Amino acid sequence: MSEKIIEIKNINVSYGSNHVLKDVSLNIDNKDFYTFLGPSGCGKTTLLRLIAGFEKSSSGELFIDGKEVSNLNPWERDVGMVFQNYALWPHMTVYKNISFGLEEKKLDKKEIKNRVDEVLELVDLKDLSRRYPFQLSGGQQQRVALARTLVVKPKVLLLDEPLSNLDAKLRVQMRKELQDLHKKIEITSIFVTHDQEEANSMSTNLAILNEGIVQQVGKPVDLYNNPSNTFVANFLGTTNVIEGEIRDTIFKSKKGLVVKNINKNAKGTSILLRPQNLYLEQRNEKFEKFIGEVKTQEFLGNIVRYTIDIKDHIFVLDTLHEVDKKIYSPDEEIVFYLDTKKIKFL
């Protein structure tokens, strides 16, 4: 079992009357790739900066590797941070940007060279060591920022939305590179993002925040399949949430939509259905059948996404695109089926 390297206990952060973090408690294991995920203004970057030492808590405790660090300066915490804008020195070469921190620590010149060469190799920048930041692409600049942080050998790597300035294709590439790097060096990493695709694809564990409160913690697939509330359900991907009540094996929405064959032990005031769990084909005779009207249709390449109106409820349905498969247009009638065993209850 992994050992905890970071313990956050009942942390509160306030700026005047603005309560930014509200009684946050989290444990982060050694070698984990942990993500703080949430919308803008939810407190995730504040929490990261708190771990780095750039913010102070109003109350609570913060432990790094068993040591209470709330009153320590950033340089005393043994953490390294990669900023959103990379913050590279424009007048220094790649090599000097990376070596600068080691030179400030008065390390031996030979050790500095060995360490810098090592991280340049690690991030595949050895051939670019004499270039300046303005001569590099966004992805290369990000690697320099990573190398500069890793060269000082921190216990924890903090990543503040490091992919946000990259274009879509490069973001996907850098996601893979960050994952590969994490596997190579096995450093505890904490990643901040508002992008659920980044979080789901990269993280071993997630903490989802909203309005300064931790909503749910766990592995991406567990949170996606078993969200604790409607905020988590909606934030971790498109979903259909319908409010109503369950009586025996029948769910009835507030607008009169009826779903039969519900699990008799089901409890909750809402049902949750992911778009991929609605089907245009009746795969089982026990599936529930619905007829609605297409409101919108999006062709996304591998899938076609429909929004469908049934009794003033809007359902989102994703279906795999195949050659010669009918694509429905807005205002057309559409039949679809749902497997009540795939329904989650909130």
Side-chain angles (χ1 to χ4, degrees):
M1 182 179 289
S2 298
E3 296 180 357
K4 289 179 289 189
I5 193 166
I6 292 181
E7 295 177 79
I8 300 167
K9 296 184 177 181
N10 307 111
I11 287 287
N12 287 274
V13 173
S14 295
Y15 305 127
S17 60
N18 186 15
H19 199 168
V20 180
L21 292 176
K22 303 168 185 175
D23 203 34
V24 172
S25 294
L26 293 170
N27 291 323
I28 298 173
D29 288 340
N30 192 27
K31 300 180 183 179
D32 214 350
F33 196 107
Y34 201 101
T35 296
F36 298 157
L37 175 67
S40 296
C42 72
K44 58 188 184 295
T45 295
T46 300
L47 185 55
L48 192 78
R49 289 175 60 82
L50 187 84
I51 295 169
F54 300 127
E55 301 283 352
K56 295 293 183 184
S57 61
S58 311
S59 62
E61 297 175 294
L62 172 63
F63 295 85
I64 297 178
D65 204 16
K67 182 179 181 181
E68 219 293 333
V69 300
S70 296
N71 294 316
L72 295 185
N73 293 308
W75 57 88
E76 298 174 303
R77 297 189 179 204
D78 208 3
V79 301
M81 188 159 175
V82 178
F83 297 92
Q84 188 173 355
N85 63 358
Y86 312 143
L88 302 178
W89 296 104
H91 62 289
M92 292 184 183
T93 63
V94 167
Y95 189 97
K96 289 295 287 183
N97 261 284
I98 297 169
S99 67
F100 182 76
L102 301 179
E103 291 167 358
E104 288 294 297
K105 289 187 173 186
K106 310 295 184 187
L107 265 63
D108 176 80
K109 285 185 178 181
K110 186 177 180 181
E111 184 178 356
I112 290 173
K113 185 178 186 307
N114 288 340
R115 283 213 209 174
V116 174
D117 286 345
E118 183 182 358
V119 294
L120 282 168
E121 188 83 40
L122 192 64
V123 298
D124 195 24
L125 285 175
K126 206 154 191 176
D127 295 338
L128 305 179
S129 64
R130 296 183 181 276
R131 290 194 183 180
Y132 291 88
F134 73 88
Q135 297 173 309
L136 304 175
S137 68
Q140 290 165 343
Q141 288 183 39
Q142 191 219 47
R143 286 191 213 139
V144 176
L146 269 170
R148 184 182 59 185
T149 304
L150 294 172
V151 78
V152 297
K153 298 185 176 180
K155 287 180 180 174
V156 181
L157 176 64
L158 307 177
L159 301 151
D160 184 15
E161 301 204 49
L163 309 182
S164 61
N165 294 326
L166 306 177
D167 63 53
K169 187 175 181 180
L170 190 53
R171 283 179 81 136
V172 174
Q173 178 187 329
M174 292 307 299
R175 255 172 24 201
K176 178 72 166 58
E177 290 189 14
L178 275 174
Q179 285 177 291
D180 291 344
L181 185 65
H182 181 256
K183 287 175 184 175
K184 281 181 186 176
I185 60 178
E186 295 188 319
I187 187 174
T188 305
S189 302
I190 305 176
F191 184 80
V192 161
T193 184
H194 60 270
D195 186 316
Q196 69 264 23
E197 187 175 298
E198 280 181 6
N200 285 335
S201 65
M202 297 174 68
S203 314
T204 48
N205 284 289
L206 294 175
I208 299 179
L209 287 87
N210 187 38
E211 296 182 346
I213 298 170
V214 175
Q215 302 291 314
Q216 194 172 357
V217 173
K219 298 187 181 304
V221 67
D222 294 336
L223 270 57
Y224 184 88
N225 289 335
N226 298 292
S228 62
N229 56 46
T230 53
F231 175 82
V232 174
N234 284 309
F235 201 80
L236 277 181
T238 304
T239 192
N240 300 293
V241 179
I242 304 169
E243 294 183 2
E245 61 178 357
I246 302 166
R247 290 187 179 177
D248 297 322
T249 59
I250 296 174
F251 173 86
K252 187 174 182 180
S253 79
K254 294 179 177 179
K255 295 179 181 179
L257 181 73
V258 174
V259 183
K260 300 175 183 177
N261 299 317
I262 296 292
N263 186 323
K264 64 181 180 180
N265 297 317
K267 293 180 180 179
T269 57
S270 298
I271 61 173
L272 180 153
L273 274 164
R274 295 290 183 187
Q276 66 270 25
N277 295 142
L278 304 174
Y279 310 101
L280 296 183
E281 305 85 20
Q282 186 169 6
R283 302 181 180 184
N284 186 306
E285 61 182 16
K286 293 182 180 180
F287 281 13
E288 289 287 290
K289 177 181 177 180
F290 294 91
I291 301 174
E293 181 182 283
V294 175
K295 304 304 290 183
T296 65
Q297 170 253 100
E298 293 178 271
F299 177 67
L300 302 175
N302 60 327
I303 65 168
V304 181
R305 171 164 291 178
Y306 298 102
T307 56
I308 304 167
D309 185 3
I310 304 172
K311 292 183 179 291
D312 293 327
H313 291 285
I314 298 297
F315 283 83
V316 181
L317 179 152
D318 287 347
T319 186
L320 188 66
H321 171 62
E322 298 172 293
V323 177
D324 298 329
K325 186 174 183 178
K326 176 177 172 58
I327 295 180
Y328 292 84
S329 300
D331 301 326
E332 275 194 273
E333 183 178 274
I334 191 169
V335 177
F336 72 90
Y337 303 85
L338 69 85
D339 180 0
T340 56
K341 291 179 182 177
K342 298 288 180 68
I343 293 175
K344 299 292 181 182
F345 302 91
L346 295 173

